[in-house]
Amino acid sequence: QVQLVESGGGLVQAGGSLRLSCAASGRIFGYYVMGWFRQAPGKEREFVAAIKWSSATVVYADSLKGRFTVSRDNAKNTVYLQMNSLKPEDTAVYYCAASHRIATKLALTPDEYASWGQGTQVTVSS
């Protein structure tokens, strides 16, 4: 089992930026794709982005392209989510997750992920 710990959330004004980190530890082998999701109060968990460990192939939610960037550092077993031009509607708990899927395009829904972090709160004030 892999353990995932997110960090970097907080309160930011609209137009600001935040960088989330997700550190993976434990049995990482076999988890090929890392994803970011978010969940706002009263809403379903929403796909944000995913990245493949080996090739850095990425996929984004269409609505977030251009503002969010996902990256990884294999040496640190860490995945990042850089969020720019933040809007109040970006307010949510952000989760990272690990998937056994071998391609990012196959890991677009929460059901495709086997392990989850505890989440980090991002609040964007207007």
Coordinates of all heavy atoms in Angstrom, one line a residue, residues 15-95:
G15 N -6.8 35.5 -8.0 CA -5.7 35.9 -8.8 C -4.4 35.4 -8.3 O -3.4 35.5 -9.1
G16 N -4.3 34.9 -7.1 CA -3.1 34.4 -6.6 C -2.7 33.0 -7.0 O -3.4 32.4 -7.8
S17 N -1.7 32.5 -6.4 CA -1.2 31.1 -6.8 C -0.9 30.3 -5.6 O -0.6 30.8 -4.5 CB 0.1 31.2 -7.6 OG -0.1 31.9 -8.8
L18 N -1.0 29.0 -5.7 CA -0.6 28.0 -4.7 C 0.1 26.8 -5.4 O -0.3 26.5 -6.5 CB -1.8 27.5 -3.9 CG -2.3 28.4 -2.8 CD1 -3.6 27.8 -2.2 CD2 -1.3 28.7 -1.7
R19 N 1.0 26.2 -4.7 CA 1.6 25.0 -5.2 C 1.3 23.9 -4.2 O 1.8 24.0 -3.0 CB 3.1 25.2 -5.4 CG 3.8 24.0 -6.1 CD 5.2 24.1 -5.9 NE 6.0 23.2 -6.8 CZ 7.2 22.8 -6.6 NH1 7.9 23.2 -5.5 NH2 7.8 22.1 -7.5
L20 N 0.6 22.9 -4.6 CA 0.4 21.7 -3.7 C 1.4 20.7 -4.0 O 1.9 20.5 -5.1 CB -1.0 21.2 -4.0 CG -2.2 22.1 -3.9 CD1 -3.5 21.4 -4.1 CD2 -2.2 22.9 -2.6
S21 N 1.7 19.9 -2.9 CA 2.7 18.8 -3.0 C 2.0 17.5 -2.6 O 1.1 17.6 -1.7 CB 3.9 19.1 -2.2 OG 4.6 20.2 -2.7
C22 N 2.4 16.4 -3.1 CA 1.9 15.1 -2.7 C 3.1 14.2 -2.6 O 3.6 13.8 -3.6 CB 0.8 14.6 -3.6 SG 0.3 12.9 -3.3
A23 N 3.5 13.9 -1.4 CA 4.6 13.0 -1.2 C 4.1 11.5 -1.0 O 3.2 11.2 -0.2 CB 5.3 13.4 0.1
A24 N 4.7 10.6 -1.8 CA 4.3 9.2 -1.8 C 5.3 8.4 -1.1 O 6.5 8.6 -1.3 CB 4.1 8.7 -3.2
S25 N 4.9 7.5 -0.3 CA 5.8 6.6 0.4 C 5.2 5.2 0.5 O 4.0 5.0 0.2 CB 6.2 7.1 1.8 OG 5.0 7.2 2.6
G26 N 6.1 4.2 0.9 CA 5.6 2.9 1.0 C 5.7 2.1 -0.3 O 6.7 2.3 -1.0
R27 N 4.8 1.2 -0.6 CA 4.9 0.4 -1.8 C 4.4 1.2 -3.0 O 3.2 1.0 -3.5 CB 4.1 -0.9 -1.6 CG 4.6 -1.8 -0.5 CD 3.7 -3.0 -0.2 NE 3.7 -3.8 -1.4 CZ 4.5 -4.8 -1.7 NH1 5.6 -5.0 -0.9 NH2 4.3 -5.5 -2.8
I28 N 5.3 2.0 -3.6 CA 4.9 2.8 -4.7 C 4.9 2.0 -6.0 O 4.1 2.3 -6.9 CB 5.9 4.0 -4.9 CG1 5.8 4.8 -3.6 CG2 5.6 4.8 -6.1 CD1 6.9 5.9 -3.5
F29 N 5.7 0.9 -6.1 CA 5.7 0.1 -7.3 C 4.3 -0.4 -7.7 O 3.6 -0.9 -6.8 CB 6.7 -1.1 -7.1 CG 6.8 -1.9 -8.3 CD1 7.6 -1.5 -9.4 CD2 6.1 -3.1 -8.4 CE1 7.7 -2.3 -10.5 CE2 6.3 -3.9 -9.6 CZ 7.1 -3.5 -10.6
G30 N 4.0 -0.3 -8.9 CA 2.7 -0.7 -9.4 C 1.7 0.4 -9.5 O 0.6 0.2 -10.0
Y31 N 2.0 1.5 -9.0 CA 1.1 2.7 -9.1 C 1.7 3.6 -10.2 O 2.8 4.2 -10.0 CB 1.0 3.5 -7.8 CG 0.3 2.7 -6.7 CD1 1.0 1.9 -5.8 CD2 -1.1 2.8 -6.6 CE1 0.3 1.2 -4.8 CE2 -1.8 2.1 -5.6 CZ -1.1 1.3 -4.7 OH -1.7 0.7 -3.7
Y32 N 1.1 3.6 -11.4 CA 1.7 4.2 -12.5 C 1.3 5.6 -12.8 O 2.0 6.4 -13.4 CB 1.4 3.4 -13.8 CG 1.9 2.0 -13.7 CD1 1.0 0.9 -13.4 CD2 3.2 1.6 -13.9 CE1 1.5 -0.4 -13.3 CE2 3.7 0.3 -13.8 CZ 2.8 -0.7 -13.5 OH 3.3 -1.9 -13.4
V33 N 0.1 6.0 -12.3 CA -0.4 7.3 -12.5 C -0.8 7.9 -11.2 O -1.4 7.3 -10.3 CB -1.7 7.2 -13.4 CG1 -2.4 8.5 -13.5 CG2 -1.3 6.7 -14.8
M34 N -0.5 9.2 -11.1 CA -0.9 10.0 -9.9 C -1.9 11.0 -10.4 O -1.7 11.7 -11.4 CB 0.3 10.7 -9.3 CG 1.3 9.7 -8.7 SD 0.7 8.8 -7.3 CE 0.6 10.1 -6.1
G35 N -3.0 11.2 -9.6 CA -4.0 12.1 -10.0 C -4.3 13.2 -8.9 O -4.0 12.9 -7.7
W36 N -4.8 14.3 -9.3 CA -5.3 15.3 -8.4 C -6.8 15.4 -8.6 O -7.3 15.5 -9.8 CB -4.6 16.7 -8.6 CG -3.2 16.8 -8.1 CD1 -2.1 16.6 -8.9 CD2 -2.8 17.0 -6.8 NE1 -1.0 16.8 -8.1 CE2 -1.4 17.1 -6.8 CE3 -3.5 17.3 -5.6 CZ2 -0.7 17.3 -5.6 CZ3 -2.8 17.5 -4.5 CH2 -1.4 17.6 -4.5
F37 N -7.5 15.5 -7.5 CA -9.0 15.7 -7.5 C -9.3 16.8 -6.6 O -8.5 17.2 -5.7 CB -9.7 14.4 -7.1 CG -9.7 13.3 -8.2 CD1 -8.6 12.5 -8.3 CD2 -10.8 13.1 -9.0 CE1 -8.5 11.5 -9.3 CE2 -10.7 12.1 -9.9 CZ -9.6 11.3 -10.1
R38 N -10.5 17.3 -6.7 CA -10.9 18.3 -5.7 C -12.4 18.1 -5.4 O -13.2 17.6 -6.2 CB -10.7 19.7 -6.2 CG -11.5 20.2 -7.4 CD -11.1 21.6 -7.8 NE -11.9 22.1 -8.9 CZ -11.7 23.2 -9.5 NH1 -10.7 24.0 -9.1 NH2 -12.5 23.6 -10.5
Q39 N -12.8 18.5 -4.2 CA -14.2 18.4 -3.8 C -14.6 19.6 -3.0 O -14.1 19.9 -1.9 CB -14.4 17.1 -3.0 CG -15.8 16.8 -2.7 CD -16.0 15.3 -2.2 OE1 -15.1 14.7 -1.7 NE2 -17.3 14.8 -2.3
A40 N -15.6 20.3 -3.5 CA -16.2 21.5 -2.9 C -17.4 21.0 -2.0 O -17.9 19.9 -2.3 CB -16.6 22.5 -3.9
P41 N -17.7 21.8 -1.0 CA -18.9 21.4 -0.2 C -20.1 21.1 -1.0 O -20.5 22.0 -1.8 CB -19.0 22.6 0.8 CG -17.7 23.2 0.8 CD -17.1 23.0 -0.5
G42 N -20.8 20.0 -0.8 CA -22.0 19.7 -1.5 C -21.9 19.2 -2.9 O -22.9 19.0 -3.6
K43 N -20.6 19.1 -3.4 CA -20.4 18.7 -4.7 C -19.6 17.3 -4.8 O -19.0 16.9 -3.8 CB -19.6 19.7 -5.5 CG -20.4 21.0 -5.7 CD -19.6 22.0 -6.6 CE -20.4 23.3 -6.8 NZ -19.7 24.2 -7.7
E44 N -19.7 16.7 -6.0 CA -19.0 15.5 -6.1 C -17.5 15.7 -6.3 O -17.1 16.8 -6.7 CB -19.5 14.7 -7.4 CG -20.9 14.2 -7.2 CD -21.4 13.4 -8.4 OE1 -20.6 13.3 -9.3 OE2 -22.5 12.8 -8.3
R45 N -16.7 14.7 -6.1 CA -15.2 14.8 -6.3 C -15.0 15.0 -7.8 O -15.5 14.2 -8.6 CB -14.5 13.6 -5.7 CG -13.0 13.7 -5.6 CD -12.5 12.7 -4.6 NE -13.0 12.9 -3.2 CZ -12.4 12.3 -2.2 NH1 -11.5 11.4 -2.4 NH2 -12.9 12.5 -1.0
E46 N -14.1 15.9 -8.1 CA -13.9 16.3 -9.5 C -12.5 16.1 -9.9 O -11.5 16.5 -9.2 CB -14.3 17.8 -9.6 CG -14.0 18.5 -10.9 CD -14.2 20.0 -10.9 OE1 -14.1 20.6 -9.8 OE2 -14.4 20.6 -12.0
F47 N -12.3 15.6 -11.1 CA -11.0 15.3 -11.6 C -10.3 16.7 -11.9 O -10.9 17.6 -12.5 CB -11.0 14.5 -12.9 CG -9.7 14.3 -13.6 CD1 -8.8 13.5 -13.1 CD2 -9.5 15.1 -14.7 CE1 -7.6 13.3 -13.8 CE2 -8.3 14.9 -15.4 CZ -7.3 14.0 -14.9
V48 N -9.0 16.8 -11.6 CA -8.3 18.0 -11.9 C -7.2 17.7 -12.9 O -7.1 18.4 -13.9 CB -7.6 18.6 -10.6 CG1 -6.7 19.8 -10.9 CG2 -8.7 19.0 -9.6
A49 N -6.3 16.8 -12.6 CA -5.2 16.4 -13.5 C -4.6 15.1 -13.1 O -4.8 14.6 -12.0 CB -4.1 17.5 -13.4
A50 N -3.9 14.5 -14.0 CA -3.2 13.3 -13.7 C -1.8 13.3 -14.5 O -1.7 13.9 -15.5 CB -4.0 12.1 -14.2
I51 N -0.9 12.6 -13.9 CA 0.5 12.5 -14.5 C 1.0 11.1 -14.3 O 0.7 10.4 -13.3 CB 1.4 13.5 -13.9 CG1 2.8 13.5 -14.6 CG2 1.6 13.2 -12.4 CD1 3.6 14.7 -14.2
K52 N 1.7 10.6 -15.3 CA 2.3 9.3 -15.3 C 3.7 9.4 -14.7 O 4.5 10.3 -15.2 CB 2.3 8.6 -16.7 CG 2.7 7.2 -16.7 CD 2.5 6.6 -18.0 CE 2.9 5.1 -18.0 NZ 2.7 4.5 -19.4
W53 N 4.1 8.6 -13.8 CA 5.4 8.6 -13.1 C 6.5 8.5 -14.2 O 7.4 9.3 -14.2 CB 5.6 7.5 -12.1 CG 5.0 7.7 -10.8 CD1 4.0 7.0 -10.2 CD2 5.3 8.7 -9.8 NE1 3.7 7.4 -9.0 CE2 4.5 8.5 -8.7 CE3 6.2 9.7 -9.7 CZ2 4.6 9.2 -7.5 CZ3 6.3 10.5 -8.6 CH2 5.5 10.3 -7.5
S54 N 6.4 7.6 -15.1 CA 7.5 7.2 -15.9 C 7.8 8.2 -17.0 O 8.9 8.6 -17.3 CB 7.4 5.8 -16.5 OG 6.2 5.8 -17.3
S55 N 6.7 8.7 -17.7 CA 6.9 9.5 -18.9 C 6.5 10.9 -18.7 O 6.7 11.8 -19.6 CB 6.0 8.9 -20.0 OG 4.6 9.0 -19.6
A56 N 5.9 11.3 -17.5 CA 5.4 12.6 -17.2 C 4.3 13.0 -18.2 O 4.0 14.2 -18.3 CB 6.5 13.6 -17.3
T57 N 3.7 12.0 -18.8 CA 2.5 12.3 -19.6 C 1.4 12.9 -18.7 O 1.1 12.3 -17.6 CB 1.9 11.0 -20.3 OG1 3.0 10.5 -21.1 CG2 0.7 11.3 -21.2
V58 N 0.8 13.9 -19.2 CA -0.2 14.6 -18.3 C -1.6 14.7 -19.0 O -1.6 14.7 -20.3 CB 0.3 16.0 -17.9 CG1 1.5 15.9 -17.1 CG2 0.4 16.9 -19.0
V59 N -2.6 14.9 -18.2 CA -3.9 15.1 -18.7 C -4.6 16.1 -17.7 O -4.4 15.9 -16.5 CB -4.7 13.9 -19.0 CG1 -5.0 13.1 -17.7 CG2 -6.1 14.2 -19.6
Y60 N -5.4 17.0 -18.2 CA -6.0 18.0 -17.4 C -7.5 18.0 -17.7 O -8.0 17.7 -18.8 CB -5.5 19.4 -17.7 CG -4.1 19.6 -17.3 CD1 -3.1 19.5 -18.3 CD2 -3.7 19.9 -16.0 CE1 -1.7 19.7 -18.0 CE2 -2.3 20.1 -15.7 CZ -1.4 20.0 -16.7 OH 0.0 20.2 -16.4
A61 N -8.3 18.4 -16.6 CA -9.7 18.7 -16.9 C -9.7 19.9 -17.8 O -8.9 20.9 -17.7 CB -10.4 19.1 -15.5
D62 N -10.6 19.8 -18.8 CA -10.6 20.9 -19.8 C -10.8 22.3 -19.2 O -10.2 23.3 -19.7 CB -11.8 20.6 -20.8 CG -11.5 19.4 -21.7 OD1 -10.3 19.1 -21.8 OD2 -12.4 18.9 -22.3
S63 N -11.6 22.4 -18.2 CA -11.9 23.7 -17.6 C -10.7 24.3 -16.9 O -10.7 25.5 -16.6 CB -13.1 23.6 -16.7 OG -12.8 22.7 -15.6
L64 N -9.7 23.5 -16.6 CA -8.5 24.0 -15.8 C -7.3 24.2 -16.7 O -6.2 24.6 -16.1 CB -8.3 23.0 -14.7 CG -9.4 22.9 -13.7 CD1 -9.1 21.8 -12.6 CD2 -9.8 24.2 -13.0
K65 N -7.3 23.8 -17.9 CA -6.1 23.9 -18.7 C -5.7 25.3 -18.8 O -6.5 26.2 -19.0 CB -6.4 23.4 -20.2 CG -6.5 21.9 -20.3 CD -6.8 21.5 -21.7 CE -6.9 20.0 -21.8 NZ -7.2 19.6 -23.2
G66 N -4.4 25.5 -18.7 CA -3.8 26.9 -18.8 C -3.6 27.5 -17.5 O -2.8 28.4 -17.3
R67 N -4.3 27.1 -16.4 CA -4.2 27.7 -15.1 C -3.4 26.7 -14.2 O -2.7 27.2 -13.3 CB -5.5 28.1 -14.5 CG -6.2 29.2 -15.2 CD -7.3 29.8 -14.4 NE -8.4 28.8 -14.0 CZ -8.7 28.5 -12.8 NH1 -8.1 29.1 -11.7 NH2 -9.6 27.6 -12.5
F68 N -3.7 25.4 -14.3 CA -3.1 24.4 -13.4 C -2.0 23.6 -14.2 O -2.2 23.3 -15.4 CB -4.2 23.5 -12.9 CG -5.1 24.1 -11.9 CD1 -5.2 25.5 -11.7 CD2 -5.9 23.3 -11.1 CE1 -6.1 26.0 -10.8 CE2 -6.7 23.8 -10.2 CZ -6.9 25.2 -10.0
T69 N -0.9 23.3 -13.5 CA 0.1 22.5 -14.1 C 0.5 21.4 -13.1 O 0.8 21.7 -11.9 CB 1.4 23.4 -14.4 OG1 1.0 24.4 -15.3 CG2 2.4 22.5 -15.0
V70 N 0.5 20.2 -13.6 CA 0.9 19.1 -12.7 C 2.3 18.6 -13.2 O 2.7 18.7 -14.3 CB -0.1 17.9 -12.8 CG1 -0.2 17.4 -14.2 CG2 0.3 16.8 -11.8
S71 N 3.2 18.3 -12.2 CA 4.5 17.8 -12.4 C 4.9 16.8 -11.4 O 4.2 16.6 -10.4 CB 5.5 19.0 -12.4 OG 5.5 19.6 -11.2
R72 N 6.0 16.1 -11.6 CA 6.5 15.1 -10.6 C 8.0 15.2 -10.5 O 8.7 15.5 -11.5 CB 6.0 13.7 -11.0 CG 6.9 12.8 -11.8 CD 6.8 13.2 -13.3 NE 7.5 12.2 -14.1 CZ 8.7 12.4 -14.7 NH1 9.3 13.5 -14.5 NH2 9.2 11.5 -15.4
D73 N 8.5 14.7 -9.4 CA 9.9 14.6 -9.1 C 10.1 13.1 -8.7 O 9.8 12.8 -7.5 CB 10.3 15.6 -8.0 CG 11.8 15.5 -7.8 OD1 12.5 14.4 -8.0 OD2 12.4 16.5 -7.4
N74 N 10.5 12.3 -9.6 CA 10.7 10.9 -9.3 C 11.6 10.6 -8.2 O 11.5 9.7 -7.4 CB 11.1 10.1 -10.6 CG 10.0 10.0 -11.6 OD1 9.0 10.7 -11.5 ND2 10.1 9.1 -12.5
A75 N 12.7 11.4 -8.1 CA 13.7 11.2 -7.1 C 13.1 11.4 -5.7 O 13.6 10.8 -4.7 CB 14.9 12.1 -7.3
K76 N 12.1 12.3 -5.6 CA 11.5 12.6 -4.3 C 10.2 11.9 -4.1 O 9.5 12.1 -3.1 CB 11.3 14.1 -4.2 CG 12.6 14.9 -4.1 CD 12.3 16.4 -4.0 CE 13.6 17.2 -3.9 NZ 13.4 18.7 -3.7
N77 N 9.8 11.1 -5.1 CA 8.4 10.5 -5.1 C 7.3 11.5 -4.8 O 6.5 11.2 -3.9 CB 8.4 9.3 -4.1 CG 9.3 8.2 -4.5 OD1 9.4 7.9 -5.7 ND2 9.8 7.4 -3.5
T78 N 7.4 12.6 -5.4 CA 6.5 13.7 -5.1 C 5.9 14.2 -6.4 O 6.5 14.4 -7.4 CB 7.2 14.8 -4.4 OG1 7.7 14.3 -3.1 CG2 6.3 16.0 -4.0
V79 N 4.6 14.5 -6.3 CA 3.8 15.1 -7.4 C 3.4 16.5 -6.9 O 3.0 16.7 -5.8 CB 2.6 14.2 -7.7 CG1 1.8 14.9 -8.8 CG2 3.1 12.9 -8.2
Y80 N 3.4 17.4 -7.9 CA 3.0 18.8 -7.6 C 1.8 19.3 -8.4 O 1.6 18.8 -9.5 CB 4.2 19.7 -7.8 CG 5.5 19.3 -7.1 CD1 6.4 18.6 -7.8 CD2 5.7 19.7 -5.8 CE1 7.6 18.2 -7.1 CE2 6.8 19.4 -5.1 CZ 7.8 18.6 -5.8 OH 8.9 18.3 -5.1
L81 N 1.1 20.2 -7.9 CA 0.0 20.9 -8.6 C 0.2 22.4 -8.4 O 0.0 22.9 -7.3 CB -1.3 20.4 -8.1 CG -2.5 21.0 -8.9 CD1 -2.5 20.5 -10.4 CD2 -3.8 20.7 -8.2
Q82 N 0.7 23.0 -9.5 CA 0.8 24.5 -9.5 C -0.5 25.1 -10.0 O -0.9 24.8 -11.1 CB 2.0 24.9 -10.4 CG 2.2 26.4 -10.5 CD 2.7 27.0 -9.2 OE1 3.5 26.5 -8.6 NE2 2.1 28.2 -8.9
M83 N -1.0 25.9 -9.1 CA -2.3 26.6 -9.5 C -2.2 28.1 -9.5 O -1.8 28.7 -8.6 CB -3.4 26.2 -8.4 CG -3.5 24.7 -8.1 SD -4.8 24.3 -7.0 CE -4.1 25.0 -5.5
N84 N -2.4 28.6 -10.7 CA -2.3 30.0 -10.9 C -3.6 30.7 -11.2 O -4.6 30.0 -11.6 CB -1.3 30.3 -12.1 CG 0.1 29.8 -11.8 OD1 0.5 29.8 -10.7 ND2 0.7 29.3 -12.9
S85 N -3.7 32.0 -11.1 CA -4.9 32.7 -11.4 C -6.1 32.1 -10.7 O -7.2 31.9 -11.3 CB -5.1 32.8 -12.9 OG -4.0 33.4 -13.6
L86 N -6.0 31.9 -9.5 CA -7.0 31.2 -8.7 C -8.3 32.0 -8.6 O -8.2 33.3 -8.5 CB -6.5 30.8 -7.3 CG -5.5 29.6 -7.3 CD1 -4.8 29.5 -6.0 CD2 -6.3 28.3 -7.5
K87 N -9.4 31.3 -8.6 CA -10.7 31.9 -8.5 C -11.5 31.4 -7.3 O -11.2 30.3 -6.9 CB -11.5 31.6 -9.8 CG -10.8 31.9 -11.1 CD -11.6 31.4 -12.3 CE -10.9 31.7 -13.6 NZ -11.7 31.2 -14.8
P88 N -12.4 32.1 -6.8 CA -13.2 31.6 -5.7 C -13.8 30.3 -5.9 O -13.9 29.5 -5.0 CB -14.3 32.7 -5.5 CG -13.6 34.0 -6.0 CD -12.8 33.5 -7.2
E89 N -14.1 30.0 -7.2 CA -14.7 28.7 -7.5 C -13.7 27.5 -7.4 O -14.1 26.3 -7.5 CB -15.5 28.7 -8.8 CG -14.6 29.2 -10.0 CD -14.9 30.7 -10.2 OE1 -15.0 31.5 -9.2 OE2 -15.0 31.0 -11.4
D90 N -12.5 27.8 -7.2 CA -11.4 26.8 -7.1 C -11.4 26.3 -5.6 O -10.6 25.4 -5.3 CB -10.1 27.3 -7.5 CG -10.0 27.6 -9.0 OD1 -10.5 26.8 -9.7 OD2 -9.4 28.6 -9.3
T91 N -12.1 27.0 -4.7 CA -12.1 26.6 -3.3 C -12.7 25.2 -3.2 O -13.7 24.9 -3.7 CB -13.0 27.6 -2.5 OG1 -12.4 28.9 -2.6 CG2 -13.2 27.1 -1.1
A92 N -11.9 24.4 -2.5 CA -12.2 23.0 -2.4 C -11.1 22.3 -1.5 O -10.1 22.9 -1.2 CB -12.3 22.3 -3.7
V93 N -11.4 21.0 -1.1 CA -10.4 20.2 -0.6 C -9.7 19.5 -1.8 O -10.4 18.9 -2.6 CB -10.9 19.2 0.4 CG1 -9.8 18.2 0.9 CG2 -11.6 19.9 1.6
Y94 N -8.4 19.5 -1.8 CA -7.7 18.9 -3.0 C -7.0 17.7 -2.5 O -6.4 17.6 -1.4 CB -6.6 19.9 -3.5 CG -7.3 21.0 -4.4 CD1 -8.0 22.0 -3.8 CD2 -7.1 21.0 -5.7 CE1 -8.6 23.0 -4.6 CE2 -7.7 22.0 -6.5 CZ -8.4 23.0 -5.9 OH -9.0 23.9 -6.7
Y95 N -7.2 16.6 -3.3 CA -6.7 15.3 -2.9 C -5.8 14.8 -4.0 O -6.0 15.0 -5.2 CB -7.8 14.3 -2.8 CG -8.9 14.5 -1.8 CD1 -10.0 15.3 -2.1 CD2 -8.8 14.0 -0.5 CE1 -11.0 15.5 -1.1 CE2 -9.7 14.3 0.5 CZ -10.8 15.0 0.2 OH -11.8 15.3 1.1

